Amino acid sequence: MATRTTPSPARPAVADLDVGHAAALPVEAVLDALGGTLDGLSAGDVAERSARYGPNAVSSHRARLVPVLWHQLRSPLLVLLMVAAVASYFVGERSDAVIIGVIVAVSVGLGFVNEYRAEKAAEALHAQIRHETVVLRGGRPGRVDVTALVPGDVVELKLGDVVPADLRLVSVTGLECDESVLTGESLPLEKDTAPVAGGTALAELSGCALMGTVVHAGSATGVVVSTGARTGFGAIAAGLSTHQLDTEFQVGLRKFSMLLVYVAGALTTSIFVVNVVLHKPILDALLFSLAIAVGITPQLLPAVVSTSLAAGSRRMSRRKVLVKRLVCIEDLGNVDVLFTDKTGTLTLGRIDYMRAVPAAGGDPGEVLRWGLLCTENTAAVGGNPLDQALWASPGSAAQRAALAGHTTLGVLPFDHERRMISVAVRDPAGHTVLVTKGAPETVLDRCTGVPPEARLALDAEFAAGNRVVAVASRPFPGGQPPTPADEQGLTLLGFLVFLDPPKQDAARALRRLGDLGIAVKVVTGDNPAVATKVCHDLGLGDGAALTGADLDGLDDDRLADAITRTTVFARVSPEHKARIVRVQRQSGGGVAFLGDGVNDALALHAADVGISVDSATDVAKDAADVILLEKDLDVLADGVTEGRRIFANTIKYVLMGTSSNFGNMFSAAGASLFLTFLPMLPSQILLNNLLYDTSQLAIPTDTVDEEQLRRPSHWDIGFIRRFMVFFGPLSSVFDFVTFGVMLWVFHSGPGQFRSGWFVESLATQTLVIFAIRTRRIPFFRSHPSLPLTLGALGVVTVGALLPATPLAAALGFSPLPGGFFAALAGMVLGYLVLIEVGKRIFYRVVRTTTTAPRPASPRRPLRRRAGYFSTAERAAGIPSGKGRR
């Protein structure tokens, strides 16, 4: 084992060696400057450098108190209200000012506590999502989290890896890197180990692999030069806004908020003008108008949404579904088309080697032996699943003695364009042979004189649903590393047959997804006959499969039509997968893609919701929004159901806020026209709003009717606006009835009038949740959750008792006569009956609509990849300890 090299004083220190400088130096000089060797760093070196440079991250997922608090305080309405309250304090209205201040503080506190809990849930969720890379330390390979890399680490790269840091390449085998995330260049760049001229542009550093780029082909070993924000990728990511890309759910929330801003602005201005014209005190009119604006604004909507998402994420985590961002939960619930790969999803994913089928009466042992030799990586760390199954098979043990005298001279790694791997091998007799292994159709196209019996045997294996790999060879004099041009004139040796049987419970999971209104379509690189056989066995349709060649002959319009009639897409390339997803998205609805390979990354990025699994390749997990801890469609169905439940509960709060709140504030505006006093004091309006919102914090716990879970729902501001206009006046009807009862039946003064309307307003707008929460008629056919029931009844009870408590005088309340509560019970019952009649009319006439998909941001891949290099503890771009500069 090589010993640790002591850095030369003439060489630059580790912190001063950036990737541009390293690219211009020979490999030996770079290792010397970094104080490392090809065997990697020792444990002591790693610990010292970790303390000096911090984690290899460019962003942080940490719940912070101040930003969450600021999110609660930044409402302009709250600021104006507090300013007005302070002004009223100094002009003598001190008790009202203090009450308003306390109510606002409690409201902000409720929102802060719930949103901070949600942030903590997101932090804990992020900590469960890990991205690992293969590192040599102390001469031994092992997998470590990408954030644990330090300068001087020796990293192994293979197809599909996201390059985990800026690396100076030490050895390469056909390496090509997709650097589009940094340079915008769509074509992959070939890599080598030769130094480049000083000052070479970042996009032309052929001797380096850059953080955040993707291994498009080949393999390599490199030494870490820079980590975290000191990399080129880190510098770009640090310059981006930290605001995450908005989902359709967030766009809907923003549009809804703007709708309420317009309504609140119109009401507030009108009420203020009317009260001034009626010669009421300007300060009272201002406070009353601002309180009306705050009352119509669902202040705790962020808290309700955050609480729903946090609780949902915990439930989904228990069901083995992790989301990278909480808001992705709603997007998952919006899915109505799922494209998925076959292996491990519909099949067990436990690939077993079955047998070798020789061509034209050959020796099965020879086919297996050459198949074992034609392998890129036989180590325990990393490796292709098919190769791992081959080496783990009992048959391989009998061949290992025969492999001892063979020497591998060069490897042309597998890639998804060629779908083959080729290895130059010298046998014990000194003859050099090129062995090629890969997809049967591709290998057979490069063979000469293929026996007809071999093609018949291949068709039989495909018809049985087995996975097949073809093995071929030819003499290869010279023994130089093979190139794609050498993969010609081959002689077919035979086929290696693998078994990956369908999952026993996959058919049930597919039926469950179908019951959720989700059309499942299989997109695979496997043979059409194999994919069709598996889908037939699982009851997923009997139609013919479309292949990549078929897709090339269709324009987007014809492809969109073909997608609706096709269940299986086979022998498709990564570009084909992404095109299928893009075309389906243009048809509307929510599109999800489930994949775990490097060839799935383009489609994962193109989908509304990218779904991968914890065992997936780095680039697939990087591209995904949702990570399944088990590659199981039942787990996915759980996630979809949870997403729809959360969305439905959020909409309940929104519809409540746009009906009862709007109606009550409309009533206040109308009352101010004929009353000689304010119908409710500003502090009473705010207290009413606070109590109401407190009861709604239990909405995230509510159950959702089964029929609402069968189809995805989407934001429709037009629907919400119509709901507000239709149901808001229904609420006002009973407010005006209350005004009449208080004035003409009980002959109430200002204090008792305000007390009566306060209790009635709180009771009707709180209890109407039981009718609004369901489309079932009558509403008691749907059972609410216990916390929601107790919360609503508890708040109504508190409101009814307040005028009789010692706090009544300070809050401006007067005791209410016993007859009022009998009238209140009648009004609440009448209100609920009227709402039920309204529901029957409204839902017959109005239908919700879907929203068109938004174009992806050009910065979306870079932003998402920045999350790959992140830590739940702190951002890494700022070194800690003695190395801080």
Side-chain angles (χ1 to χ4, degrees), residues 397-417:
Q399 296 292 332
R400 295 194 184 193
L403 302 179
H406 293 77
T407 304
T408 299
L409 304 177
V411 179
L412 180 60
F414 178 91
D415 65 57
H416 292 283
E417 283 75 25

mmCIF file with all atom_site columns, all heavy atoms in Angstrom, residues 397-417:
data_model
loop_
_atom_site.group_PDB
_atom_site.id
_atom_site.type_symbol
_atom_site.label_atom_id
_atom_site.label_alt_id
_atom_site.label_comp_id
_atom_site.label_asym_id
_atom_site.label_entity_id
_atom_site.label_seq_id
_atom_site.pdbx_PDB_ins_code
_atom_site.Cartn_x
_atom_site.Cartn_y
_atom_site.Cartn_z
_atom_site.occupancy
_atom_site.B_iso_or_equiv
_atom_site.pdbx_formal_charge
_atom_site.auth_seq_id
_atom_site.auth_comp_id
_atom_site.auth_asym_id
_atom_site.auth_atom_id
_atom_site.pdbx_PDB_model_num
ATOM 1   N N   . ALA A 1 397 ? -19.547 -20.492 -9.848  1.00 0.00 ? 397 ALA A N   1
ATOM 2   C CA  . ALA A 1 397 ? -18.502 -21.075 -8.999  1.00 0.00 ? 397 ALA A CA  1
ATOM 3   C C   . ALA A 1 397 ? -17.729 -22.148 -9.748  1.00 0.00 ? 397 ALA A C   1
ATOM 4   O O   . ALA A 1 397 ? -16.503 -22.283 -9.599  1.00 0.00 ? 397 ALA A O   1
ATOM 5   C CB  . ALA A 1 397 ? -19.133 -21.647 -7.737  1.00 0.00 ? 397 ALA A CB  1
ATOM 6   N N   . ALA A 1 398 ? -18.437 -22.916 -10.594 1.00 0.00 ? 398 ALA A N   1
ATOM 7   C CA  . ALA A 1 398 ? -17.763 -23.982 -11.331 1.00 0.00 ? 398 ALA A CA  1
ATOM 8   C C   . ALA A 1 398 ? -16.862 -23.446 -12.428 1.00 0.00 ? 398 ALA A C   1
ATOM 9   O O   . ALA A 1 398 ? -15.968 -24.159 -12.912 1.00 0.00 ? 398 ALA A O   1
ATOM 10  C CB  . ALA A 1 398 ? -18.817 -24.913 -11.940 1.00 0.00 ? 398 ALA A CB  1
ATOM 11  N N   . GLN A 1 399 ? -17.070 -22.168 -12.826 1.00 0.00 ? 399 GLN A N   1
ATOM 12  C CA  . GLN A 1 399 ? -16.284 -21.606 -13.916 1.00 0.00 ? 399 GLN A CA  1
ATOM 13  C C   . GLN A 1 399 ? -15.096 -20.771 -13.434 1.00 0.00 ? 399 GLN A C   1
ATOM 14  O O   . GLN A 1 399 ? -14.249 -20.395 -14.228 1.00 0.00 ? 399 GLN A O   1
ATOM 15  C CB  . GLN A 1 399 ? -17.190 -20.719 -14.787 1.00 0.00 ? 399 GLN A CB  1
ATOM 16  C CG  . GLN A 1 399 ? -18.304 -21.472 -15.499 1.00 0.00 ? 399 GLN A CG  1
ATOM 17  C CD  . GLN A 1 399 ? -17.767 -22.402 -16.568 1.00 0.00 ? 399 GLN A CD  1
ATOM 18  O OE1 . GLN A 1 399 ? -16.709 -22.162 -17.144 1.00 0.00 ? 399 GLN A OE1 1
ATOM 19  N NE2 . GLN A 1 399 ? -18.496 -23.484 -16.828 1.00 0.00 ? 399 GLN A NE2 1
ATOM 20  N N   . ARG A 1 400 ? -15.023 -20.488 -12.148 1.00 0.00 ? 400 ARG A N   1
ATOM 21  C CA  . ARG A 1 400 ? -14.015 -19.535 -11.672 1.00 0.00 ? 400 ARG A CA  1
ATOM 22  C C   . ARG A 1 400 ? -12.596 -20.053 -11.844 1.00 0.00 ? 400 ARG A C   1
ATOM 23  O O   . ARG A 1 400 ? -11.678 -19.276 -12.090 1.00 0.00 ? 400 ARG A O   1
ATOM 24  C CB  . ARG A 1 400 ? -14.284 -19.180 -10.210 1.00 0.00 ? 400 ARG A CB  1
ATOM 25  C CG  . ARG A 1 400 ? -15.602 -18.452 -10.065 1.00 0.00 ? 400 ARG A CG  1
ATOM 26  C CD  . ARG A 1 400 ? -15.796 -17.787 -8.733  1.00 0.00 ? 400 ARG A CD  1
ATOM 27  N NE  . ARG A 1 400 ? -17.128 -17.197 -8.651  1.00 0.00 ? 400 ARG A NE  1
ATOM 28  C CZ  . ARG A 1 400 ? -17.510 -16.348 -7.726  1.00 0.00 ? 400 ARG A CZ  1
ATOM 29  N NH1 . ARG A 1 400 ? -16.652 -15.987 -6.785  1.00 0.00 ? 400 ARG A NH1 1
ATOM 30  N NH2 . ARG A 1 400 ? -18.714 -15.864 -7.724  1.00 0.00 ? 400 ARG A NH2 1
ATOM 31  N N   . ALA A 1 401 ? -12.412 -21.345 -11.726 1.00 0.00 ? 401 ALA A N   1
ATOM 32  C CA  . ALA A 1 401 ? -11.075 -21.897 -11.933 1.00 0.00 ? 401 ALA A CA  1
ATOM 33  C C   . ALA A 1 401 ? -10.620 -21.668 -13.370 1.00 0.00 ? 401 ALA A C   1
ATOM 34  O O   . ALA A 1 401 ? -9.447  -21.383 -13.640 1.00 0.00 ? 401 ALA A O   1
ATOM 35  C CB  . ALA A 1 401 ? -11.065 -23.379 -11.602 1.00 0.00 ? 401 ALA A CB  1
ATOM 36  N N   . ALA A 1 402 ? -11.559 -21.752 -14.320 1.00 0.00 ? 402 ALA A N   1
ATOM 37  C CA  . ALA A 1 402 ? -11.220 -21.561 -15.731 1.00 0.00 ? 402 ALA A CA  1
ATOM 38  C C   . ALA A 1 402 ? -10.958 -20.092 -16.061 1.00 0.00 ? 402 ALA A C   1
ATOM 39  O O   . ALA A 1 402 ? -10.380 -19.781 -17.096 1.00 0.00 ? 402 ALA A O   1
ATOM 40  C CB  . ALA A 1 402 ? -12.346 -22.095 -16.611 1.00 0.00 ? 402 ALA A CB  1
ATOM 41  N N   . LEU A 1 403 ? -11.383 -19.202 -15.197 1.00 0.00 ? 403 LEU A N   1
ATOM 42  C CA  . LEU A 1 403 ? -11.190 -17.767 -15.448 1.00 0.00 ? 403 LEU A CA  1
ATOM 43  C C   . LEU A 1 403 ? -9.826  -17.276 -14.987 1.00 0.00 ? 403 LEU A C   1
ATOM 44  O O   . LEU A 1 403 ? -9.397  -16.180 -15.373 1.00 0.00 ? 403 LEU A O   1
ATOM 45  C CB  . LEU A 1 403 ? -12.276 -16.948 -14.720 1.00 0.00 ? 403 LEU A CB  1
ATOM 46  C CG  . LEU A 1 403 ? -13.732 -17.256 -15.068 1.00 0.00 ? 403 LEU A CG  1
ATOM 47  C CD1 . LEU A 1 403 ? -14.657 -16.374 -14.229 1.00 0.00 ? 403 LEU A CD1 1
ATOM 48  C CD2 . LEU A 1 403 ? -14.004 -17.037 -16.545 1.00 0.00 ? 403 LEU A CD2 1
ATOM 49  N N   . ALA A 1 404 ? -9.143  -18.084 -14.175 1.00 0.00 ? 404 ALA A N   1
ATOM 50  C CA  . ALA A 1 404 ? -7.932  -17.606 -13.504 1.00 0.00 ? 404 ALA A CA  1
ATOM 51  C C   . ALA A 1 404 ? -6.851  -17.168 -14.481 1.00 0.00 ? 404 ALA A C   1
ATOM 52  O O   . ALA A 1 404 ? -6.123  -16.212 -14.231 1.00 0.00 ? 404 ALA A O   1
ATOM 53  C CB  . ALA A 1 404 ? -7.393  -18.690 -12.575 1.00 0.00 ? 404 ALA A CB  1
ATOM 54  N N   . GLY A 1 405 ? -6.721  -17.827 -15.621 1.00 0.00 ? 405 GLY A N   1
ATOM 55  C CA  . GLY A 1 405 ? -5.640  -17.496 -16.532 1.00 0.00 ? 405 GLY A CA  1
ATOM 56  C C   . GLY A 1 405 ? -5.958  -16.401 -17.513 1.00 0.00 ? 405 GLY A C   1
ATOM 57  O O   . GLY A 1 405 ? -5.122  -16.072 -18.373 1.00 0.00 ? 405 GLY A O   1
ATOM 58  N N   . HIS A 1 406 ? -7.133  -15.797 -17.430 1.00 0.00 ? 406 HIS A N   1
ATOM 59  C CA  . HIS A 1 406 ? -7.530  -14.743 -18.368 1.00 0.00 ? 406 HIS A CA  1
ATOM 60  C C   . HIS A 1 406 ? -7.171  -13.370 -17.817 1.00 0.00 ? 406 HIS A C   1
ATOM 61  O O   . HIS A 1 406 ? -7.290  -13.124 -16.616 1.00 0.00 ? 406 HIS A O   1
ATOM 62  C CB  . HIS A 1 406 ? -9.028  -14.816 -18.644 1.00 0.00 ? 406 HIS A CB  1
ATOM 63  C CG  . HIS A 1 406 ? -9.452  -16.045 -19.383 1.00 0.00 ? 406 HIS A CG  1
ATOM 64  N ND1 . HIS A 1 406 ? -9.562  -17.274 -18.772 1.00 0.00 ? 406 HIS A ND1 1
ATOM 65  C CD2 . HIS A 1 406 ? -9.781  -16.249 -20.689 1.00 0.00 ? 406 HIS A CD2 1
ATOM 66  C CE1 . HIS A 1 406 ? -9.954  -18.175 -19.659 1.00 0.00 ? 406 HIS A CE1 1
ATOM 67  N NE2 . HIS A 1 406 ? -10.086 -17.576 -20.832 1.00 0.00 ? 406 HIS A NE2 1
ATOM 68  N N   . THR A 1 407 ? -6.770  -12.503 -18.721 1.00 0.00 ? 407 THR A N   1
ATOM 69  C CA  . THR A 1 407 ? -6.373  -11.149 -18.337 1.00 0.00 ? 407 THR A CA  1
ATOM 70  C C   . THR A 1 407 ? -7.217  -10.134 -19.109 1.00 0.00 ? 407 THR A C   1
ATOM 71  O O   . THR A 1 407 ? -7.321  -10.209 -20.339 1.00 0.00 ? 407 THR A O   1
ATOM 72  C CB  . THR A 1 407 ? -4.886  -10.896 -18.635 1.00 0.00 ? 407 THR A CB  1
ATOM 73  O OG1 . THR A 1 407 ? -4.110  -11.889 -17.969 1.00 0.00 ? 407 THR A OG1 1
ATOM 74  C CG2 . THR A 1 407 ? -4.473  -9.507  -18.168 1.00 0.00 ? 407 THR A CG2 1
ATOM 75  N N   . THR A 1 408 ? -7.836  -9.185  -18.380 1.00 0.00 ? 408 THR A N   1
ATOM 76  C CA  . THR A 1 408 ? -8.611  -8.123  -19.022 1.00 0.00 ? 408 THR A CA  1
ATOM 77  C C   . THR A 1 408 ? -7.658  -7.022  -19.481 1.00 0.00 ? 408 THR A C   1
ATOM 78  O O   . THR A 1 408 ? -6.911  -6.450  -18.675 1.00 0.00 ? 408 THR A O   1
ATOM 79  C CB  . THR A 1 408 ? -9.653  -7.550  -18.051 1.00 0.00 ? 408 THR A CB  1
ATOM 80  O OG1 . THR A 1 408 ? -10.556 -8.595  -17.674 1.00 0.00 ? 408 THR A OG1 1
ATOM 81  C CG2 . THR A 1 408 ? -10.433 -6.412  -18.697 1.00 0.00 ? 408 THR A CG2 1
ATOM 82  N N   . LEU A 1 409 ? -7.688  -6.706  -20.785 1.00 0.00 ? 409 LEU A N   1
ATOM 83  C CA  . LEU A 1 409 ? -6.788  -5.704  -21.358 1.00 0.00 ? 409 LEU A CA  1
ATOM 84  C C   . LEU A 1 409 ? -7.453  -4.337  -21.523 1.00 0.00 ? 409 LEU A C   1
ATOM 85  O O   . LEU A 1 409 ? -6.781  -3.320  -21.559 1.00 0.00 ? 409 LEU A O   1
ATOM 86  C CB  . LEU A 1 409 ? -6.269  -6.189  -22.720 1.00 0.00 ? 409 LEU A CB  1
ATOM 87  C CG  . LEU A 1 409 ? -5.555  -7.547  -22.723 1.00 0.00 ? 409 LEU A CG  1
ATOM 88  C CD1 . LEU A 1 409 ? -5.163  -7.922  -24.133 1.00 0.00 ? 409 LEU A CD1 1
ATOM 89  C CD2 . LEU A 1 409 ? -4.337  -7.512  -21.814 1.00 0.00 ? 409 LEU A CD2 1
ATOM 90  N N   . GLY A 1 410 ? -8.749  -4.319  -21.651 1.00 0.00 ? 410 GLY A N   1
ATOM 91  C CA  . GLY A 1 410 ? -9.451  -3.041  -21.836 1.00 0.00 ? 410 GLY A CA  1
ATOM 92  C C   . GLY A 1 410 ? -10.945 -3.254  -21.812 1.00 0.00 ? 410 GLY A C   1
ATOM 93  O O   . GLY A 1 410 ? -11.449 -4.338  -22.143 1.00 0.00 ? 410 GLY A O   1
ATOM 94  N N   . VAL A 1 411 ? -11.672 -2.225  -21.421 1.00 0.00 ? 411 VAL A N   1
ATOM 95  C CA  . VAL A 1 411 ? -13.131 -2.302  -21.290 1.00 0.00 ? 411 VAL A CA  1
ATOM 96  C C   . VAL A 1 411 ? -13.764 -1.128  -22.021 1.00 0.00 ? 411 VAL A C   1
ATOM 97  O O   . VAL A 1 411 ? -13.323 0.019   -21.874 1.00 0.00 ? 411 VAL A O   1
ATOM 98  C CB  . VAL A 1 411 ? -13.560 -2.289  -19.811 1.00 0.00 ? 411 VAL A CB  1
ATOM 99  C CG1 . VAL A 1 411 ? -15.089 -2.346  -19.698 1.00 0.00 ? 411 VAL A CG1 1
ATOM 100 C CG2 . VAL A 1 411 ? -12.933 -3.435  -19.037 1.00 0.00 ? 411 VAL A CG2 1
ATOM 101 N N   . LEU A 1 412 ? -14.781 -1.417  -22.818 1.00 0.00 ? 412 LEU A N   1
ATOM 102 C CA  . LEU A 1 412 ? -15.651 -0.377  -23.378 1.00 0.00 ? 412 LEU A CA  1
ATOM 103 C C   . LEU A 1 412 ? -16.969 -0.467  -22.622 1.00 0.00 ? 412 LEU A C   1
ATOM 104 O O   . LEU A 1 412 ? -17.764 -1.388  -22.858 1.00 0.00 ? 412 LEU A O   1
ATOM 105 C CB  . LEU A 1 412 ? -15.864 -0.605  -24.877 1.00 0.00 ? 412 LEU A CB  1
ATOM 106 C CG  . LEU A 1 412 ? -16.755 0.416   -25.597 1.00 0.00 ? 412 LEU A CG  1
ATOM 107 C CD1 . LEU A 1 412 ? -16.155 1.816   -25.481 1.00 0.00 ? 412 LEU A CD1 1
ATOM 108 C CD2 . LEU A 1 412 ? -16.938 0.034   -27.058 1.00 0.00 ? 412 LEU A CD2 1
ATOM 109 N N   . PRO A 1 413 ? -17.217 0.446   -21.656 1.00 0.00 ? 413 PRO A N   1
ATOM 110 C CA  . PRO A 1 413 ? -18.361 0.272   -20.742 1.00 0.00 ? 413 PRO A CA  1
ATOM 111 C C   . PRO A 1 413 ? -19.703 0.318   -21.459 1.00 0.00 ? 413 PRO A C   1
ATOM 112 O O   . PRO A 1 413 ? -19.824 0.830   -22.577 1.00 0.00 ? 413 PRO A O   1
ATOM 113 C CB  . PRO A 1 413 ? -18.201 1.438   -19.762 1.00 0.00 ? 413 PRO A CB  1
ATOM 114 C CG  . PRO A 1 413 ? -16.788 1.884   -19.900 1.00 0.00 ? 413 PRO A CG  1
ATOM 115 C CD  . PRO A 1 413 ? -16.419 1.632   -21.318 1.00 0.00 ? 413 PRO A CD  1
ATOM 116 N N   . PHE A 1 414 ? -20.684 -0.186  -20.757 1.00 0.00 ? 414 PHE A N   1
ATOM 117 C CA  . PHE A 1 414 ? -22.073 -0.156  -21.230 1.00 0.00 ? 414 PHE A CA  1
ATOM 118 C C   . PHE A 1 414 ? -22.566 1.279   -21.288 1.00 0.00 ? 414 PHE A C   1
ATOM 119 O O   . PHE A 1 414 ? -22.238 2.106   -20.434 1.00 0.00 ? 414 PHE A O   1
ATOM 120 C CB  . PHE A 1 414 ? -22.948 -0.968  -20.266 1.00 0.00 ? 414 PHE A CB  1
ATOM 121 C CG  . PHE A 1 414 ? -24.404 -0.980  -20.625 1.00 0.00 ? 414 PHE A CG  1
ATOM 122 C CD1 . PHE A 1 414 ? -24.914 -1.970  -21.439 1.00 0.00 ? 414 PHE A CD1 1
ATOM 123 C CD2 . PHE A 1 414 ? -25.266 -0.006  -20.151 1.00 0.00 ? 414 PHE A CD2 1
ATOM 124 C CE1 . PHE A 1 414 ? -26.268 -1.999  -21.775 1.00 0.00 ? 414 PHE A CE1 1
ATOM 125 C CE2 . PHE A 1 414 ? -26.609 -0.010  -20.474 1.00 0.00 ? 414 PHE A CE2 1
ATOM 126 C CZ  . PHE A 1 414 ? -27.114 -1.012  -21.294 1.00 0.00 ? 414 PHE A CZ  1
ATOM 127 N N   . ASP A 1 415 ? -23.366 1.603   -22.294 1.00 0.00 ? 415 ASP A N   1
ATOM 128 C CA  . ASP A 1 415 ? -24.130 2.846   -22.280 1.00 0.00 ? 415 ASP A CA  1
ATOM 129 C C   . ASP A 1 415 ? -25.481 2.578   -22.931 1.00 0.00 ? 415 ASP A C   1
ATOM 130 O O   . ASP A 1 415 ? -25.677 1.553   -23.585 1.00 0.00 ? 415 ASP A O   1
ATOM 131 C CB  . ASP A 1 415 ? -23.383 4.005   -22.948 1.00 0.00 ? 415 ASP A CB  1
ATOM 132 C CG  . ASP A 1 415 ? -23.166 3.787   -24.435 1.00 0.00 ? 415 ASP A CG  1
ATOM 133 O OD1 . ASP A 1 415 ? -24.157 3.596   -25.169 1.00 0.00 ? 415 ASP A OD1 1
ATOM 134 O OD2 . ASP A 1 415 ? -21.988 3.809   -24.874 1.00 0.00 ? 415 ASP A OD2 1
ATOM 135 N N   . HIS A 1 416 ? -26.409 3.508   -22.745 1.00 0.00 ? 416 HIS A N   1
ATOM 136 C CA  . HIS A 1 416 ? -27.786 3.258   -23.150 1.00 0.00 ? 416 HIS A CA  1
ATOM 137 C C   . HIS A 1 416 ? -28.038 3.534   -24.621 1.00 0.00 ? 416 HIS A C   1
ATOM 138 O O   . HIS A 1 416 ? -29.143 3.267   -25.112 1.00 0.00 ? 416 HIS A O   1
ATOM 139 C CB  . HIS A 1 416 ? -28.743 4.091   -22.282 1.00 0.00 ? 416 HIS A CB  1
ATOM 140 C CG  . HIS A 1 416 ? -28.760 3.634   -20.856 1.00 0.00 ? 416 HIS A CG  1
ATOM 141 N ND1 . HIS A 1 416 ? -29.436 2.512   -20.451 1.00 0.00 ? 416 HIS A ND1 1
ATOM 142 C CD2 . HIS A 1 416 ? -28.165 4.144   -19.744 1.00 0.00 ? 416 HIS A CD2 1
ATOM 143 C CE1 . HIS A 1 416 ? -29.268 2.351   -19.142 1.00 0.00 ? 416 HIS A CE1 1
ATOM 144 N NE2 . HIS A 1 416 ? -28.506 3.318   -18.702 1.00 0.00 ? 416 HIS A NE2 1
ATOM 145 N N   . GLU A 1 417 ? -27.057 4.065   -25.318 1.00 0.00 ? 417 GLU A N   1
ATOM 146 C CA  . GLU A 1 417 ? -27.187 4.181   -26.760 1.00 0.00 ? 417 GLU A CA  1
ATOM 147 C C   . GLU A 1 417 ? -26.805 2.862   -27.440 1.00 0.00 ? 417 GLU A C   1
ATOM 148 O O   . GLU A 1 417 ? -27.537 2.341   -28.272 1.00 0.00 ? 417 GLU A O   1
ATOM 149 C CB  . GLU A 1 417 ? -26.311 5.326   -27.292 1.00 0.00 ? 417 GLU A CB  1
ATOM 150 C CG  . GLU A 1 417 ? -26.884 6.717   -27.059 1.00 0.00 ? 417 GLU A CG  1
ATOM 151 C CD  . GLU A 1 417 ? -26.751 7.162   -25.613 1.00 0.00 ? 417 GLU A CD  1
ATOM 152 O OE1 . GLU A 1 417 ? -25.843 6.646   -24.919 1.00 0.00 ? 417 GLU A OE1 1
ATOM 153 O OE2 . GLU A 1 417 ? -27.552 7.999   -25.170 1.00 0.00 ? 417 GLU A OE2 1
#
